[in-house]
Amino acid sequence: MEYHNPVLLHPTVDGLNIKPDGIYVDVTFGGGGHSKEILRRLGPNGKLFAFDQDEDALANALPDERFTLINENFRFIKRFLRFHGVKGVDGILADLGVSSHQFDVPERGFSTRFDAELDMRMSQKNDLSAYRVVNEYEEQDLRRVFFDYGELKNAPLLSRTIVEAREHRPIKTTDELKDVLAKFLPERIRNKVLAQIYQAIRIEVNQEMDVLKEFIEQSLEILNPGGRFSVISYHSLEDRLVKRFIKNGMFEGEPERDFFGNFSVPYKTIGKLIVPNDAEIKINNRARSAKLRIAEKI
Ligand SMILES: C[S@@+](CC[C@H](N)C(=O)[O-])C[C@H]1O[C@@H](n2cnc3c(N)ncnc32)[C@H](O)[C@@H]1O
């Protein structure tokens, strides 16, 4: 089975406006689709650093002396690049979320298609798992997870139902969770609601929103002036953070005006929002929710 089919491959790499001698970072290496294309465009003196927190991705490391793969969370991008002697880079690419590999291996627990133990950790080093969120979180914390990350209006009822069920015995697998929540999963909306529940738990397990914020802030510090930021997100919570930061240099509120009354912002937006065309979605259904934003550091 293919590890991952890269989404919006050319526009995302085009967005980096690659200089042959530049230093680039692919923070979501996965199957290496985007990394291979970056290396193809780099000259002999260019460099590519890639991150992936999933040990499984290490098997895809590219045999190229211009390439270094770092098996760490990209929330530590600045620290690990510094460790490799890199202070400034010319472009950063992020293709957020889960790889097809993670989704397709039943034991990883990311998919509602299989009956597997509740897991959903992208990194094998992560202590928090879907099992712990479902079985150990206080009711109000579960409610927050479902409400904030799944945008589920019935978050209070879902949480209450889980807490009551686990008083009898722990909820260990996908099918047990589906059974516990059966009354909220009528056939008509079953897949949609399950996807929202799973998205919420996954975001919490991997602390995806906090991680993304830390990464976005550090990227700005690391990019050289004129350096490019090319980011694909897959749900509105991620896209909102990326969009706001590119526009305003902050996640909330408005930037301050300078002496002349102009907004002082760190990025220039490059082009419009890019989404996959019908042909790409037809051959790769996982591309359907992708949104690509490109920015250049001023
Ligand atoms: C959508 S896939 C990327 C696929 C890749 N662009 C390709 O062409 O094969 C996302 C990958 O990023 C990794 N990932 C997600 N969040 C991460 C994080 N915070 N730190 C490091 N890796 C992360 C996942 O483990 C997964 O392999």
Side-chain angles (χ1 to χ4, degrees):
M1 205 186 308
E2 204 177 0
Y3 195 94
H4 189 87
N5 191 356
V7 171
L8 290 169
L9 176 62
H10 291 286
T12 311
V13 180
D14 291 348
L16 294 175
N17 200 16
I18 291 192
K19 297 191 283 191
D21 289 349
I23 302 179
Y24 292 86
V25 192
D26 173 359
V27 294
T28 47
F29 178 70
H34 290 99
S35 279
K36 276 184 215 150
E37 184 59 25
I38 295 173
L39 285 171
R40 212 177 57 74
R41 300 187 193 190
L42 276 178
N45 298 321
K47 290 257 174 292
L48 173 63
F49 292 88
F51 285 74
D52 203 301
Q53 60 177 334
D54 187 346
E55 274 170 25
D56 288 1
L58 296 181
N60 306 322
L62 303 168
D64 188 310
E65 58 187 20
R66 301 167 299 170
F67 175 74
T68 307
L69 179 56
I70 302 167
N71 181 211
E72 292 291 346
N73 195 309
F74 60 58
R75 81 191 307 172
F76 306 122
I77 179 172
K78 199 171 148 190
R79 186 197 301 174
F80 283 98
L81 287 182
R82 206 186 305 122
F83 176 80
H84 285 275
V86 177
K87 290 204 191 86
V89 302
D90 300 296
I92 300 175
L93 181 152
D95 174 18
L96 300 169
V98 184
S99 67
S100 300
H101 168 82
Q102 289 164 332
F103 212 61
D104 292 338
V105 173
E107 306 82 70
R108 301 297 298 267
F110 284 101
S111 174
T112 56
R113 286 171 295 156
F114 313 110
D115 185 25
E117 286 187 13
L118 298 176
D119 189 336
M120 297 201 221
R121 291 168 306 148
M122 283 197 221
S123 163
Q124 292 78 353
K125 289 181 245 168
N126 196 352
D127 284 338
L128 191 58
S129 63
Y131 176 88
R132 288 194 52 196
V133 171
V134 168
N135 288 284
E136 295 175 14
Y137 267 34
E138 299 284 348
E139 187 175 335
Q140 71 265 26
D141 293 328
L142 271 179
R143 202 183 305 144
R144 169 186 61 77
V145 169
F146 289 137
F147 200 75
D148 289 356
Y149 301 152
E151 300 180 279
L152 286 147
K153 293 203 176 65
N154 58 354
L157 281 174
L158 291 170
S159 319
R160 180 93 285 264
T161 308
I162 288 176
V163 169
E164 278 170 6
R166 74 190 191 193
E167 272 164 19
H168 304 289
R169 60 189 152 93
I171 304 166
K172 289 194 186 132
T173 64
T174 322
D175 279 359
E176 287 175 15
L177 184 61
K178 283 184 195 167
D179 283 348
V180 165
L181 297 178
K183 63 174 178 248
F184 305 105
L185 303 171
E187 195 54 40
R188 195 173 44 85
I189 52 166
R190 184 178 170 84
N191 289 339
K192 180 170 176 271
V193 176
L194 267 176
Q196 284 171 283
I197 292 171
Y198 260 54
Q199 169 179 299
I201 299 174
R202 191 198 90 200
I203 291 176
E204 178 66 18
V205 167
N206 297 287
Q207 301 285 300
E208 291 177 34
M209 302 321 291
D210 288 346
V211 166
L212 182 58
K213 282 185 179 169
E214 288 171 36
F215 158 68
I216 292 175
E217 283 172 342
Q218 289 176 42
S219 293
L220 179 62
E221 293 174 42
I222 300 163
L223 278 170
N224 296 326
R228 290 290 186 91
F229 195 46
S230 191
V231 182
I232 310 175
S233 52
Y234 291 86
H235 55 76
S236 56
L237 300 168
E238 284 173 345
D239 183 54
R240 205 175 298 152
L241 290 183
V242 176
K243 182 175 152 187
R244 285 192 183 156
F245 199 87
I246 287 177
K247 183 162 173 258
N248 294 334
M250 48 181 58
F251 301 114
E252 300 288 340
E254 293 277 305
E256 291 194 0
R257 289 179 190 272
D258 66 14
F259 181 73
F260 303 101
N262 301 318
F263 284 129
S264 111
V265 290
Y267 281 116
K268 177 170 91 185
T269 303
I270 304 293
K272 290 205 169 112
L273 174 74
I274 298 173
V275 295
N277 59 25
D278 292 345
E280 178 165 2
I281 295 171
K282 206 165 171 200
I283 51 168
N284 185 7
N285 187 40
R286 286 185 188 152
R288 68 190 182 283
S289 47
K291 288 198 169 99
L292 167 63
R293 295 190 186 271
I294 301 163
E296 183 175 296
K297 182 166 164 181
I298 294 170

